[in-house]
Amino acid sequence: MKVTVKYQIQVIAPLQAAKVLGAVFFVVTCLFLPFAALSYDLALPQGPGHLIWAFLAVPLVNALFAFFLGWVFAFAYNLVAKRLGGLEITLQERNL
């Protein structure tokens, strides 16, 4: 017999949300960076050599931006959740 339970997310820790989002955006940006470099290499006759500093800065800038927005969104969620209630999720026990 499966048991389902409803939970409500009342608080999201802003700093933790910011750290996780920053790290995720950094990793994802690094994964897509080779494709961006390749497309610039194919599109620009002089190649991406003059833009190498930009390619190195993009993951860091993305991570910092995501960190800031993660903190802002978690803070805003906490304000709204106090008044309207948090997101509701339903969890179901998994049979192994």
Side-chain angles (χ1 to χ4, degrees):
M1 179 174 182
K2 292 185 179 185
V3 177
T4 59
V5 181
K6 283 191 178 188
Y7 289 97
Q8 192 175 76
I9 301 170
Q10 293 181 343
V11 175
I12 297 175
L15 185 58
Q16 186 61 26
K19 288 190 296 187
V20 169
L21 276 174
V24 167
F25 271 68
F26 181 81
V27 169
V28 170
T29 303
C30 286
L31 291 174
F32 284 101
L33 204 56
F35 300 109
L38 180 62
S39 67
Y40 271 103
D41 188 38
L42 296 174
L44 300 174
Q46 68 271 25
H50 67 290
L51 295 175
I52 196 72
W53 63 270
F55 283 116
L56 296 175
V58 166
L60 182 60
V61 171
N62 251 2
L64 290 173
F65 191 65
F67 180 91
F68 174 72
L69 285 180
W71 190 92
V72 169
F73 284 130
F75 182 79
Y77 175 87
N78 292 337
L79 292 176
V80 171
K82 281 182 191 175
R83 290 165 182 78
L84 302 177
L87 293 173
E88 287 190 5
I89 59 171
T90 302
L91 301 177
Q92 183 175 0
E93 186 177 309
R94 184 176 151 198
N95 291 335
L96 299 177

